[in-house]
Structures are given as C-alpha cells and as structure tokens.
Amino acid sequence: MPLKEIDAKSFRVAFISGANNLSNHKEIINELNVFPVPDGDTGTNMTLTIMSAAQEVRALENPDMDDMGKAIASGSLRGARGNSGVILSQILRGFCKDIKGKKVLTAEDLASAFSRAVETAYKAVMKPKEGTILTVAKGIAEKAYLLIDTEDDIAEFLAEVVKHGDEVLANTPNQLPVLKEAGVVDSGGQGLMEFIRGIYLAIIGQPVSDNDAPVRLIEGPKKSIEEMRGSSREDISTADIKFTYCTEFICNLKKPLTDADSDTFRDYLLSIGDSLVFVSDDEIVKIHVHTNHPGQAFEKAIEYGFLTNMKIDNMKEEHSERVMLEQSRLQAFSEAKPEAPEEKKTYTGPKKQFGFVAVASGDGIAEIFKGAAVDYVISGGQTMNPSTDDFLKAAEEINAEVIFLLPNNKNIILAANQAANLSKDKRLYVVPTKSVPQGISAMLAFSLTATAEENLQAMSEAAESIISGEVTYAVRDTSINGTEIKKDDIMGISDKGISSVGSDVETVALELIDSMIEQGDDPELISIYYGSDIDKETAEALVARLEEKNPDIDVELQMGGQPIYYYLISAE
C-alpha cells in the first residue's frame, strides 16, 4: 500500500534512524578525509552535531511537526562542530523552517523542504565549493523536485532520491581533483547520504538503532541498497569482527573496470573478509577490507592493476581500545537528559566594554592568550572542535555586551559565525583567525579607543599579515598534490598547504620555516611554540639551527604545550 504521508511520530522515528545511521558510519566517513591531520574528522563532527539534535528529539513526548522542527534546528545549530557539522545544521535548519505549520509531510512537502535546506546551507558558506556536501544536497533537492509530479509514494520517492544522491556523491571526485587523487568521495557528502539513507530505512520499516553495525546490503520491499547506490561503487558488509587484519590499498587500474569486473572483484573480497569499502573510478580502486589473508586480497587486485598505499593493521590489538574511546566520546549525547533552564547569569566582576573568547589547546597557549587579555579560552582538543553552543556559553561567562570570538582554526570559523548569529543578549564579532599565531597577532592589534567595527577590521588585517605553519604527523596514507604521504610521516604545513614531509621532526620543521620565509616579504620575526611532545632542550636546538641559518631574523621560543602539533610557527 502506497505511503502518501508521514506524521510527526513517524518523522521522529525516521530522524533518529538517520542520526543513528550517520553515527554508525562515522569511522568510515572519517577514513574518507583527504587531509591526513589527526584532528577535526568529518564523521566525528557530523555525528556530534546530529546527536545533539537527536538528544532533543528523543526528549519529546507526543510531538507535533513544529515541536520536531524546533528540536532538530535548535539541537543541531547549538551542537554544530566543524565546517561539516555547521553545514549539516544549516541544511536541517532550512528543512525545519519549511515544514513549520504542517501536520503531516507528503512527498511534495519533502521536496520543498529539501530545496529550502539547500538554499539555507549555501547562504551560510562564504565561498561554496562544488564537489562537497553542498553539491550532494543540491543534487538531492533537484531530483526531489523532478519526482513530485510522478511519485507520491514517499518510500518510492526517497528510494529514488537516495539513488540519485549516491550518484552525485560518486561524481564528487570529478569536481574536486584532490578527491580524485586520494581515491575517495567527499566525506561530508557521504555523511549526508548516510543520514538520509537511515531515514529511508525507517520509512520502509527497517529503522537503524544506535548500535547497529554499518550495513549496506539490506534488502527492502523496494530496492536493495546496492541497487540504490548506482554508480558509486562503494559496498560495505559487516558482521561481528572476526577477521584479524585491517587491509587497505589502492589498485591503479590497467583499464576501467566493467560492472562485471567490479562485481567479481568485490564478491571475491567479501568471500575472504568483511567490512569492505570499495570505491572506484576509471583509474583507481581504493579498498578497505577486514580479512585473515591480506596476501590473497593483494593477489586478486594485481589481476586488475598495480598496487600502492598498502597498509595492514592487526585489529585484535586495537579493537577494544577504539570501541571504548568511541563509547566514551558519544556517551554524553546518547544518555544525557534535557538540562533544566539555566538561571540568568549573575556576574561578580566589573562590567567591561569588550570581552574576548579564544580557542586554544595546551596550557602554554592558553596562558599566552590570557596574558593578552582573553577572558575565556575554549579547549579545542583532539578531534573535538568546539561547538556553536561552546561559544555561546563562553560568551555568557563574560560581563560584556560586545565580545570578540577568535576560532584560531579554519574548521571552527563557521561554528563561531553561527554563535554570533544565534546570540540574543550580546553582540558577538568573529575575527576569522585560522591559526593560533593569527589569534595572538589579532589580540595585539586590539585598541580600547577604537569601536567594535574598527577593532574587527584591525584585528582581521593583523591576522592576515601572519604566515602560519605547523608540524604534525599523518594519521593515514594519502596523496596530495602529487606528494605521497604515509601514516606516521611528519608533515610541515603552511598556509599554502603541505610544504615538507619526512621522518624527522626537526628537519621537517626547518624545511617548513624555509618555505614560510620564501612566502613572506622579508619576515623579521619567527615565533615558535613547542608542543607537549617536545622538550625545551629539543626546541632550543631547533632555534639554534634556525638562527645559524638566518642570522638576520629574530627568533622567539615559547612553550605552547599543545597536543598533536609538535610545533606551531609564525613568520611576520
């Protein structure tokens, strides 16, 4: 019997199913990240964002559609983390605006809401890029509008929407060369598709629970998930982990795979393992499989081309630790109860004209910002970008009506902007700092005698004048702009991208600084902040070598104490 409409109760089940499906696929989505730095993974950020909304939805009893819309929009907006999470929250915000006032949702209502969602998300991004989550969302909305004249069965409607969305996702490497080089689809787009796929599964009577393993081969009354994925060439089948070796590699194809070749290759890999990720285009196939026989997977792949980026990990040694980490990371979202309304803040300190919130990680960096008159430092720890709500709560702690936010990371700027838009009682100004050195420079440019707008301009210009760099390690194998990077390689990253890759921290740091000096207009000062994994003597040895090479440049060394990054560096 055709399903012509869904009520708020069914929508609630579908939304939670979508959130769970996204959460269950977060590690797979993380593995699609092109840039191999060990923080800000897309799957984690999108999961924490959607779970913030799901927490509020779960708390509703007998909701109507307006209740659902308010809970989803509020929860996702305040819980948004990272650029992908903020964009997802804007998609949800636009969708919920469009369904306001409706008692039930039809296929036509869904199409209209998809369109409003895309419009809202595009407006939230300063310079939208195609080949991203935005492209996938737009493809979904366009397909939805084409279907409303011919398809009023919501299950059939969503099946076609998901199929087309997967096809758009599969094409993202052709729109962003960096995706094609790495052999992956866009991670944010994949996250969006897992969310919508979870909604579809609930509509056909197969709602996803929060502890389900990622499953793609689910037979429904309409079409199998494999059929819906069309040309995306990604197939995952999982069961209880019983295979020892996590095996990853890229097969550089002799010639494009036919559909029959792909099916044969994929079926063989599934016969010797599980948890298969199989993503291909005309030139390469990127494969992830859990198996007891990695050599057999390699031998089969050699029939189709030559292998690169091979990696094998023993999962029996790592599995328990990873499960415990993920359970603790999301426990607050899956178990938390709605908080009671907070009482109006009573300030004990004197009222200030201006206040400051900065994001930083490491005791030394935090002290530097506090010494520069920052009132509140938000910790941006590993894979935990601050949420929109973190900025709002920090601002509430400061007895000032005008507050400047310094995100100090390009992946946090959108969340800060969203906080500024949501703030009601205070005026929040976002200084778009992309690094800790930029944030410090911005604070030094602040003037008490200037207006808020004048300070925003001066602080932004000061930040832009700084050349920033960082030294960290790679968390996965990849290839970026022709540079092959292996897991655990040391990377030197400047504002223009990866400038050095090697095995020695000091050597990479010196090569990075050389590139930063070349980028600058005769810089006079190099500032170095050493992290928690570097001792003072090692950092001083780096400074000595740097001063010997560049006697005309002043070098300043400070203890940053930051995790993950061996050194944060600025040139000015």
Side-chain angles (χ1 to χ4, degrees):
M1 182 176 178
L3 179 64
K4 302 284 186 162
E5 60 186 36
I6 55 174
D7 59 15
K9 182 179 179 181
S10 298
F11 183 43
R12 181 179 184 273
V13 172
F15 180 84
I16 292 174
S17 175
N20 288 337
N21 200 52
L22 171 54
S23 175
N24 294 342
H25 286 82
K26 63 184 173 292
E27 286 301 336
I28 294 170
I29 297 165
N30 284 341
E31 287 297 318
L32 295 175
N33 283 344
V34 173
F35 217 63
V37 295
D39 60 357
D41 281 337
T42 299
T44 301
N45 286 333
M46 293 184 76
T47 292
L48 292 173
T49 300
I50 203 70
M51 284 303 173
S52 179
Q55 175 185 330
E56 296 202 20
V57 168
R58 287 190 179 101
L60 296 174
E61 295 183 8
N62 301 317
D64 59 21
M65 208 65 75
D66 284 358
D67 294 332
M68 283 290 298
K70 289 176 183 177
I72 293 169
S74 174
S76 62
L77 288 171
R78 297 181 72 92
R81 297 173 186 267
N83 290 343
S84 56
V86 171
I87 293 172
L88 176 61
S89 74
Q90 289 295 324
I91 290 171
L92 295 173
R93 174 173 170 257
F95 186 97
C96 292
K97 275 187 177 181
D98 205 72
I99 65 172
K100 186 176 181 180
K102 299 184 186 299
K103 301 299 182 184
V104 296
L105 298 179
T106 64
E108 185 173 357
D109 292 328
L110 292 175
S112 177
F114 284 152
S115 180
R116 183 76 171 272
V118 171
E119 179 184 349
T120 303
Y122 266 88
K123 287 180 178 178
V125 180
M126 187 72 69
K127 296 180 180 179
K129 282 186 178 180
E130 296 306 324
T132 66
I133 182 176
L134 292 172
T135 304
V136 177
K138 182 171 66 175
I140 288 169
E142 290 172 348
K143 182 65 174 180
Y145 252 115
L146 291 175
L147 289 170
I148 57 176
D149 291 333
T150 59
E151 188 58 78
D152 60 0
D153 182 340
I154 292 178
E156 292 281 8
F157 169 84
L158 286 177
E160 291 298 320
V161 165
V162 172
K163 177 182 177 181
H164 184 72
D166 280 330
E167 291 170 353
V168 175
L169 175 65
N171 191 51
T172 54
N174 295 323
Q175 296 172 295
L176 278 180
V178 67
L179 296 176
K180 190 165 189 176
E181 183 180 8
V184 296
V185 296
D186 178 68
S187 55
Q190 184 74 63
L192 179 62
M193 288 311 305
E194 297 311 338
F195 170 62
I196 295 176
R197 198 184 324 281
I199 290 175
Y200 166 75
L201 290 172
I203 293 299
I204 64 172
Q206 300 176 16
V208 180
S209 70
D210 60 2
N211 58 359
D212 285 348
V215 175
R216 298 288 175 83
L217 295 179
I218 302 176
E219 293 295 330
K222 309 301 177 186
K223 299 182 179 181
S224 72
I225 297 301
E226 167 62 13
E227 289 171 334
M228 293 195 317
R229 291 196 63 83
S231 62
S232 67
R233 290 302 172 211
E234 184 171 355
D235 185 11
I236 299 172
S237 175
T238 61
D240 294 334
I241 293 179
K242 56 186 177 182
F243 297 100
T244 302
Y245 301 105
C246 176
T247 306
E248 299 178 47
F249 59 95
I250 291 175
C251 177
N252 299 269
L253 298 171
K254 301 173 186 175
K255 59 182 181 180
L257 295 179
T258 64
D259 288 347
D261 289 336
S262 293
D263 291 343
T264 299
F265 195 175
R266 207 166 48 246
D267 290 346
Y268 176 81
L269 293 171
L270 286 172
S271 74
I272 62 169
D274 70 1
S275 296
L276 175 65
V277 178
F278 187 100
V279 183
S280 75
D281 60 20
D282 290 344
E283 298 176 357
I284 66 170
V285 184
K286 185 168 184 178
I287 291 166
H288 164 286
V289 66
H290 295 174
T291 179
N292 289 327
H293 304 286
Q296 293 180 11
F298 293 155
E299 287 292 333
K300 185 64 176 180
I302 289 173
E303 295 179 15
Y304 301 100
F306 67 92
L307 309 186
T308 57
N309 296 66
M310 294 173 285
K311 181 167 75 76
I312 302 172
D313 290 322
N314 188 318
M315 294 188 300
K316 288 185 177 179
E317 296 178 358
E318 300 175 354
H319 178 62
S320 296
E321 180 181 349
R322 291 182 64 189
V323 169
M324 292 176 63
L325 175 62
E326 289 303 322
Q327 287 176 341
S328 63
R329 182 183 293 165
L330 295 176
Q331 184 176 7
F333 291 92
S334 61
E335 297 180 357
K337 297 179 180 179
E339 297 179 359
E342 294 184 2
E343 297 181 2
K344 186 156 183 72
K345 182 74 177 178
T346 301
Y347 299 101
T348 56
K351 187 170 183 177
K352 303 172 56 180
Q353 183 179 5
F354 301 110
F356 304 90
V357 175
V359 178
S361 185
D363 294 339
I365 298 295
E367 287 304 315
I368 291 170
F369 274 115
K370 289 176 181 177
V374 168
D375 301 280
Y376 195 106
V377 176
I378 301 175
S379 176
Q382 185 176 4
T383 70
M384 290 292 289
N385 296 143
S387 68
T388 295
D389 200 39
D390 289 332
F391 282 107
L392 292 171
K393 288 180 177 178
E396 280 302 310
E397 293 292 325
I398 304 171
N399 193 6
E401 292 182 1
V402 176
I403 298 174
F404 292 92
L405 308 181
L406 291 84
N408 301 330
N409 184 310
K410 65 181 180 180
N411 199 39
I412 302 174
I413 293 174
L414 285 183
N417 287 337
Q418 192 149 278
N421 291 332
L422 291 176
S423 179
K424 297 178 181 179
D425 300 328
K426 301 188 178 188
R427 291 160 55 202
L428 306 186
Y429 290 84
V430 179
V431 185
T433 51
K434 299 177 182 178
S435 66
V436 164
Q438 283 192 357
I440 294 170
S441 179
M443 285 303 302
L444 296 177
F446 174 79
S447 172
L448 271 174
T449 61
T451 66
E453 290 75 14
E454 289 169 342
N455 270 312
L456 177 62
Q457 181 176 348
M459 295 169 76
S460 299
E461 289 175 353
E464 290 175 1
S465 70
I466 296 293
I467 299 171
S468 301
E470 55 199 26
V471 180
T472 186
Y473 58 92
V475 295
R476 62 180 66 87
D477 294 353
T478 190
S479 174
I480 298 177
N481 295 329
T483 300
E484 292 292 328
I485 300 170
K486 301 296 183 183
K487 183 176 181 293
D488 298 326
D489 276 352
I490 307 301
M491 301 182 297
I493 308 169
S494 73
D495 297 330
K496 293 188 175 181
I498 296 176
S499 61
S500 179
V501 177
S503 58
D504 177 68
V505 173
E506 184 173 288
T507 300
V508 170
L510 289 170
E511 291 175 354
L512 168 64
I513 294 170
D514 285 344
S515 72
M516 292 170 64
I517 291 173
E518 290 177 4
Q519 292 175 38
D521 185 14
D522 295 325
E524 299 175 352
L525 174 66
I526 301 290
S527 298
I528 300 175
Y529 307 87
Y530 61 93
S532 58
D533 292 325
I534 298 292
D535 57 49
K536 185 177 180 181
E537 290 73 18
T538 300
E540 288 175 339
L542 171 65
V543 170
R545 288 189 62 184
L546 180 60
E547 290 177 330
E548 183 180 355
K549 288 182 64 177
N550 302 278
D552 296 331
I553 300 178
D554 292 331
V555 182
E556 183 179 277
L557 178 67
Q558 297 195 58
M559 191 281 289
Q562 69 274 2
I564 300 175
Y565 297 95
Y566 302 113
Y567 293 107
L568 298 176
I569 304 165
S570 69
E572 54 186 300

Short mmCIF file of all heavy atoms in Angstrom, two decimals, residues 341-390:
data_model
loop_
_atom_site.label_atom_id
_atom_site.label_comp_id
_atom_site.label_asym_id
_atom_site.label_seq_id
_atom_site.Cartn_x
_atom_site.Cartn_y
_atom_site.Cartn_z
N PRO A 341 16.29 24.66 32.51
CA PRO A 341 16.63 26.01 32.07
C PRO A 341 17.59 26.67 33.06
O PRO A 341 17.41 26.57 34.28
CB PRO A 341 15.27 26.73 32.04
CG PRO A 341 14.26 25.63 31.93
CD PRO A 341 14.84 24.46 32.65
N GLU A 342 18.59 27.33 32.53
CA GLU A 342 19.57 27.99 33.38
C GLU A 342 19.01 29.30 33.90
O GLU A 342 18.26 30.00 33.22
CB GLU A 342 20.86 28.27 32.59
CG GLU A 342 21.59 27.01 32.20
CD GLU A 342 22.90 27.34 31.51
OE1 GLU A 342 23.23 28.55 31.39
OE2 GLU A 342 23.59 26.41 31.10
N GLU A 343 19.38 29.62 35.14
CA GLU A 343 19.01 30.91 35.69
C GLU A 343 19.83 31.99 35.02
O GLU A 343 20.93 31.76 34.54
CB GLU A 343 19.26 30.92 37.21
CG GLU A 343 18.40 29.91 37.97
CD GLU A 343 18.68 29.98 39.46
OE1 GLU A 343 19.49 30.84 39.87
OE2 GLU A 343 18.08 29.20 40.21
N LYS A 344 19.29 33.21 35.02
CA LYS A 344 20.00 34.32 34.38
C LYS A 344 21.32 34.52 35.09
O LYS A 344 21.43 34.50 36.29
CB LYS A 344 19.17 35.60 34.43
CG LYS A 344 19.83 36.72 33.64
CD LYS A 344 18.83 37.72 33.20
CE LYS A 344 19.46 38.82 32.36
NZ LYS A 344 19.84 38.37 31.04
N LYS A 345 22.38 34.72 34.31
CA LYS A 345 23.73 34.83 34.83
C LYS A 345 23.89 36.06 35.72
O LYS A 345 23.46 37.15 35.37
CB LYS A 345 24.72 34.90 33.67
CG LYS A 345 26.16 34.98 34.09
CD LYS A 345 26.65 33.65 34.57
CE LYS A 345 28.13 33.70 34.92
NZ LYS A 345 28.61 32.43 35.43
N THR A 346 24.46 35.86 36.90
CA THR A 346 24.81 36.97 37.78
C THR A 346 26.32 37.12 37.79
O THR A 346 27.04 36.20 38.17
CB THR A 346 24.29 36.71 39.21
OG1 THR A 346 22.88 36.54 39.16
CG2 THR A 346 24.63 37.89 40.11
N TYR A 347 26.81 38.27 37.35
CA TYR A 347 28.25 38.48 37.24
C TYR A 347 28.80 39.07 38.53
O TYR A 347 28.17 39.92 39.17
CB TYR A 347 28.56 39.44 36.08
CG TYR A 347 28.10 38.91 34.74
CD1 TYR A 347 26.93 39.38 34.16
CD2 TYR A 347 28.84 37.95 34.07
CE1 TYR A 347 26.50 38.89 32.93
CE2 TYR A 347 28.41 37.46 32.84
CZ TYR A 347 27.24 37.94 32.28
OH TYR A 347 26.84 37.45 31.07
N THR A 348 29.97 38.60 38.89
CA THR A 348 30.62 39.11 40.10
C THR A 348 31.69 40.14 39.76
O THR A 348 32.01 40.99 40.58
CB THR A 348 31.26 37.96 40.90
OG1 THR A 348 32.18 37.25 40.03
CG2 THR A 348 30.19 36.98 41.37
N GLY A 349 32.25 40.08 38.58
CA GLY A 349 33.30 41.01 38.19
C GLY A 349 32.73 42.28 37.60
O GLY A 349 31.54 42.37 37.29
N PRO A 350 33.57 43.30 37.44
CA PRO A 350 33.11 44.56 36.86
C PRO A 350 32.74 44.39 35.39
O PRO A 350 33.31 43.58 34.69
CB PRO A 350 34.33 45.48 37.03
CG PRO A 350 35.50 44.54 37.07
CD PRO A 350 35.01 43.32 37.76
N LYS A 351 31.80 45.19 34.96
CA LYS A 351 31.39 45.13 33.57
C LYS A 351 32.47 45.73 32.68
O LYS A 351 33.07 46.76 33.00
CB LYS A 351 30.07 45.87 33.36
CG LYS A 351 29.49 45.69 31.96
CD LYS A 351 28.08 46.23 31.88
CE LYS A 351 27.50 45.97 30.49
NZ LYS A 351 26.10 46.41 30.37
N LYS A 352 32.71 45.07 31.53
CA LYS A 352 33.73 45.53 30.59
C LYS A 352 33.07 46.03 29.31
O LYS A 352 31.95 45.64 28.99
CB LYS A 352 34.69 44.38 30.23
CG LYS A 352 35.39 43.75 31.41
CD LYS A 352 36.16 42.51 30.97
CE LYS A 352 37.15 42.82 29.88
NZ LYS A 352 37.90 41.63 29.46
N GLN A 353 33.78 46.88 28.59
CA GLN A 353 33.28 47.32 27.30
C GLN A 353 33.39 46.21 26.27
O GLN A 353 32.48 45.99 25.47
CB GLN A 353 34.04 48.55 26.82
CG GLN A 353 33.53 49.12 25.50
CD GLN A 353 34.30 50.35 25.06
OE1 GLN A 353 35.29 50.74 25.69
NE2 GLN A 353 33.86 50.97 23.97
N PHE A 354 34.53 45.48 26.28
CA PHE A 354 34.78 44.41 25.33
C PHE A 354 35.23 43.15 26.05
O PHE A 354 35.93 43.21 27.07
CB PHE A 354 35.88 44.81 24.33
CG PHE A 354 35.57 46.04 23.53
CD1 PHE A 354 36.26 47.22 23.74
CD2 PHE A 354 34.58 46.01 22.55
CE1 PHE A 354 35.97 48.36 23.00
CE2 PHE A 354 34.29 47.14 21.80
CZ PHE A 354 34.98 48.33 22.02
N GLY A 355 34.84 42.01 25.50
CA GLY A 355 35.32 40.73 26.02
C GLY A 355 35.89 39.89 24.89
O GLY A 355 35.68 40.19 23.70
N PHE A 356 36.62 38.83 25.26
CA PHE A 356 37.31 38.02 24.25
C PHE A 356 37.22 36.54 24.60
O PHE A 356 37.42 36.14 25.74
CB PHE A 356 38.79 38.42 24.16
CG PHE A 356 39.02 39.88 23.88
CD1 PHE A 356 39.14 40.78 24.92
CD2 PHE A 356 39.06 40.34 22.58
CE1 PHE A 356 39.32 42.13 24.67
CE2 PHE A 356 39.24 41.69 22.31
CZ PHE A 356 39.37 42.59 23.37
N VAL A 357 36.92 35.73 23.56
CA VAL A 357 36.92 34.27 23.67
C VAL A 357 37.86 33.74 22.60
O VAL A 357 37.76 34.12 21.43
CB VAL A 357 35.51 33.68 23.45
CG1 VAL A 357 35.57 32.16 23.46
CG2 VAL A 357 34.54 34.18 24.51
N ALA A 358 38.78 32.87 22.99
CA ALA A 358 39.73 32.28 22.03
C ALA A 358 39.71 30.77 22.16
O ALA A 358 39.50 30.23 23.25
CB ALA A 358 41.13 32.81 22.27
N VAL A 359 39.92 30.09 21.06
CA VAL A 359 40.05 28.64 21.06
C VAL A 359 41.53 28.29 21.05
O VAL A 359 42.30 28.84 20.26
CB VAL A 359 39.37 28.01 19.83
CG1 VAL A 359 39.55 26.49 19.82
CG2 VAL A 359 37.89 28.35 19.80
N ALA A 360 41.93 27.40 21.94
CA ALA A 360 43.34 27.01 22.01
C ALA A 360 43.43 25.64 22.67
O ALA A 360 42.52 25.21 23.37
CB ALA A 360 44.16 28.03 22.80
N SER A 361 44.53 24.99 22.45
CA SER A 361 44.78 23.70 23.08
C SER A 361 46.21 23.69 23.60
O SER A 361 47.14 23.97 22.86
CB SER A 361 44.58 22.57 22.06
OG SER A 361 44.71 21.31 22.67
N GLY A 362 46.36 23.42 24.88
CA GLY A 362 47.68 23.45 25.50
C GLY A 362 47.75 24.54 26.56
O GLY A 362 47.31 25.67 26.34
N ASP A 363 48.32 24.19 27.72
CA ASP A 363 48.38 25.14 28.83
C ASP A 363 49.17 26.39 28.48
O ASP A 363 48.80 27.50 28.85
CB ASP A 363 48.99 24.47 30.07
CG ASP A 363 48.10 23.37 30.62
OD1 ASP A 363 46.88 23.38 30.31
OD2 ASP A 363 48.61 22.51 31.34
N GLY A 364 50.27 26.21 27.76
CA GLY A 364 51.10 27.36 27.41
C GLY A 364 50.38 28.32 26.49
O GLY A 364 50.42 29.54 26.69
N ILE A 365 49.71 27.78 25.47
CA ILE A 365 48.95 28.63 24.54
C ILE A 365 47.84 29.35 25.28
O ILE A 365 47.59 30.54 25.07
CB ILE A 365 48.36 27.79 23.39
CG1 ILE A 365 49.48 27.12 22.58
CG2 ILE A 365 47.48 28.64 22.50
CD1 ILE A 365 50.37 28.08 21.83
N ALA A 366 47.14 28.63 26.17
CA ALA A 366 46.06 29.25 26.94
C ALA A 366 46.59 30.41 27.77
O ALA A 366 45.95 31.48 27.85
CB ALA A 366 45.39 28.20 27.82
N GLU A 367 47.74 30.24 28.41
CA GLU A 367 48.30 31.31 29.22
C GLU A 367 48.72 32.51 28.38
O GLU A 367 48.60 33.66 28.81
CB GLU A 367 49.50 30.78 30.02
CG GLU A 367 49.13 29.86 31.17
CD GLU A 367 48.17 30.54 32.15
OE1 GLU A 367 48.41 31.71 32.51
OE2 GLU A 367 47.18 29.89 32.53
N ILE A 368 49.21 32.25 27.19
CA ILE A 368 49.59 33.35 26.29
C ILE A 368 48.35 34.19 25.94
O ILE A 368 48.39 35.42 25.97
CB ILE A 368 50.26 32.81 25.02
CG1 ILE A 368 51.63 32.21 25.35
CG2 ILE A 368 50.40 33.90 23.96
CD1 ILE A 368 52.26 31.43 24.22
N PHE A 369 47.24 33.52 25.63
CA PHE A 369 46.02 34.26 25.30
C PHE A 369 45.49 35.01 26.52
O PHE A 369 45.04 36.17 26.40
CB PHE A 369 44.95 33.31 24.76
CG PHE A 369 45.06 33.06 23.28
CD1 PHE A 369 45.35 31.80 22.78
CD2 PHE A 369 44.86 34.10 22.39
CE1 PHE A 369 45.45 31.58 21.41
CE2 PHE A 369 44.96 33.89 21.02
CZ PHE A 369 45.27 32.63 20.53
N LYS A 370 45.54 34.37 27.68
CA LYS A 370 45.07 35.07 28.88
C LYS A 370 45.95 36.28 29.19
O LYS A 370 45.45 37.33 29.63
CB LYS A 370 45.05 34.10 30.07
CG LYS A 370 43.96 33.05 29.96
CD LYS A 370 44.02 32.04 31.10
CE LYS A 370 42.94 30.98 30.95
NZ LYS A 370 43.02 29.93 32.02
N GLY A 371 47.25 36.16 28.93
CA GLY A 371 48.15 37.28 29.11
C GLY A 371 47.89 38.41 28.13
O GLY A 371 48.26 39.57 28.38
N ALA A 372 47.23 38.07 27.02
CA ALA A 372 46.89 39.08 26.01
C ALA A 372 45.47 39.59 26.21
O ALA A 372 44.89 40.19 25.30
CB ALA A 372 47.03 38.48 24.61
N ALA A 373 44.90 39.37 27.41
CA ALA A 373 43.60 39.91 27.82
C ALA A 373 42.41 39.10 27.34
O ALA A 373 41.28 39.57 27.38
CB ALA A 373 43.44 41.37 27.40
N VAL A 374 42.61 37.86 26.90
CA VAL A 374 41.48 37.00 26.56
C VAL A 374 40.80 36.54 27.85
O VAL A 374 41.46 36.09 28.79
CB VAL A 374 41.94 35.78 25.73
CG1 VAL A 374 40.83 34.74 25.63
CG2 VAL A 374 42.36 36.23 24.34
N ASP A 375 39.48 36.67 27.90
CA ASP A 375 38.73 36.35 29.12
C ASP A 375 38.46 34.86 29.27
O ASP A 375 38.43 34.33 30.38
CB ASP A 375 37.38 37.08 29.10
CG ASP A 375 37.53 38.57 29.03
OD1 ASP A 375 37.79 39.19 30.06
OD2 ASP A 375 37.40 39.12 27.91
N TYR A 376 38.21 34.17 28.14
CA TYR A 376 37.79 32.77 28.21
C TYR A 376 38.46 31.99 27.09
O TYR A 376 38.35 32.37 25.93
CB TYR A 376 36.27 32.68 28.07
CG TYR A 376 35.67 31.35 28.49
CD1 TYR A 376 34.95 31.24 29.68
CD2 TYR A 376 35.79 30.23 27.69
CE1 TYR A 376 34.39 30.02 30.06
CE2 TYR A 376 35.24 29.02 28.06
CZ TYR A 376 34.54 28.92 29.24
OH TYR A 376 33.98 27.71 29.63
N VAL A 377 39.15 30.93 27.45
CA VAL A 377 39.81 30.07 26.47
C VAL A 377 39.05 28.75 26.38
O VAL A 377 38.88 28.05 27.38
CB VAL A 377 41.28 29.80 26.84
CG1 VAL A 377 41.90 28.82 25.84
CG2 VAL A 377 42.06 31.10 26.85
N ILE A 378 38.55 28.44 25.19
CA ILE A 378 37.88 27.16 24.94
C ILE A 378 38.92 26.16 24.45
O ILE A 378 39.67 26.43 23.52
CB ILE A 378 36.79 27.30 23.86
CG1 ILE A 378 35.74 28.33 24.27
CG2 ILE A 378 36.13 25.96 23.58
CD1 ILE A 378 34.70 28.59 23.19
N SER A 379 38.96 25.01 25.07
CA SER A 379 39.89 23.97 24.63
C SER A 379 39.37 23.34 23.35
O SER A 379 38.20 22.96 23.26
CB SER A 379 40.06 22.90 25.70
OG SER A 379 40.90 21.86 25.23
N GLY A 380 40.26 23.22 22.35
CA GLY A 380 39.87 22.59 21.08
C GLY A 380 40.53 21.27 20.90
O GLY A 380 41.14 21.02 19.87
N GLY A 381 40.40 20.38 21.87
CA GLY A 381 41.18 19.14 21.91
C GLY A 381 41.06 18.25 20.69
O GLY A 381 40.33 18.51 19.75
N GLN A 382 41.77 17.14 20.72
CA GLN A 382 41.88 16.25 19.57
C GLN A 382 40.51 15.76 19.10
O GLN A 382 39.72 15.24 19.87
CB GLN A 382 42.74 15.04 19.94
CG GLN A 382 43.00 14.11 18.77
CD GLN A 382 43.93 12.97 19.15
OE1 GLN A 382 44.31 12.85 20.29
NE2 GLN A 382 44.28 12.15 18.19
N THR A 383 40.25 15.94 17.81
CA THR A 383 39.00 15.55 17.12
C THR A 383 37.76 16.16 17.77
O THR A 383 36.67 15.69 17.54
CB THR A 383 38.82 14.02 17.04
OG1 THR A 383 38.55 13.50 18.34
CG2 THR A 383 40.04 13.35 16.45
N MET A 384 37.92 17.18 18.58
CA MET A 384 36.79 17.78 19.29
C MET A 384 36.74 19.28 19.02
O MET A 384 37.06 20.09 19.88
CB MET A 384 36.89 17.50 20.79
CG MET A 384 36.65 16.05 21.15
SD MET A 384 34.94 15.52 20.88
CE MET A 384 34.11 16.40 22.18
N ASN A 385 36.38 19.66 17.82
CA ASN A 385 36.20 21.08 17.53
C ASN A 385 35.10 21.63 18.41
O ASN A 385 34.06 21.00 18.58
CB ASN A 385 35.83 21.28 16.06
CG ASN A 385 36.94 20.85 15.12
OD1 ASN A 385 36.67 20.32 14.06
ND2 ASN A 385 38.19 21.08 15.48
N PRO A 386 35.27 22.84 18.98
CA PRO A 386 34.21 23.42 19.81
C PRO A 386 32.92 23.58 19.03
O PRO A 386 32.92 23.85 17.82
CB PRO A 386 34.79 24.79 20.21
CG PRO A 386 36.26 24.64 20.06
CD PRO A 386 36.47 23.70 18.92
N SER A 387 31.81 23.43 19.73
CA SER A 387 30.51 23.57 19.10
C SER A 387 30.05 25.03 19.15
O SER A 387 30.61 25.86 19.87
CB SER A 387 29.48 22.70 19.81
OG SER A 387 29.23 23.19 21.12
N THR A 388 29.00 25.31 18.40
CA THR A 388 28.36 26.63 18.48
C THR A 388 27.96 26.94 19.91
O THR A 388 28.16 28.05 20.41
CB THR A 388 27.12 26.65 17.57
OG1 THR A 388 27.55 26.50 16.21
CG2 THR A 388 26.35 27.93 17.72
N ASP A 389 27.43 25.95 20.61
CA ASP A 389 26.99 26.15 21.99
C ASP A 389 28.17 26.46 22.91
O ASP A 389 28.03 27.21 23.88
CB ASP A 389 26.25 24.90 22.48
CG ASP A 389 25.36 25.19 23.68
OD1 ASP A 389 24.74 26.27 23.70
OD2 ASP A 389 25.30 24.35 24.59
N ASP A 390 29.34 25.88 22.64
CA ASP A 390 30.52 26.19 23.45
C ASP A 390 30.84 27.68 23.39
O ASP A 390 31.20 28.29 24.40
CB ASP A 390 31.73 25.37 22.97
CG ASP A 390 31.61 23.90 23.30
OD1 ASP A 390 30.95 23.57 24.29
OD2 ASP A 390 32.17 23.08 22.55
#
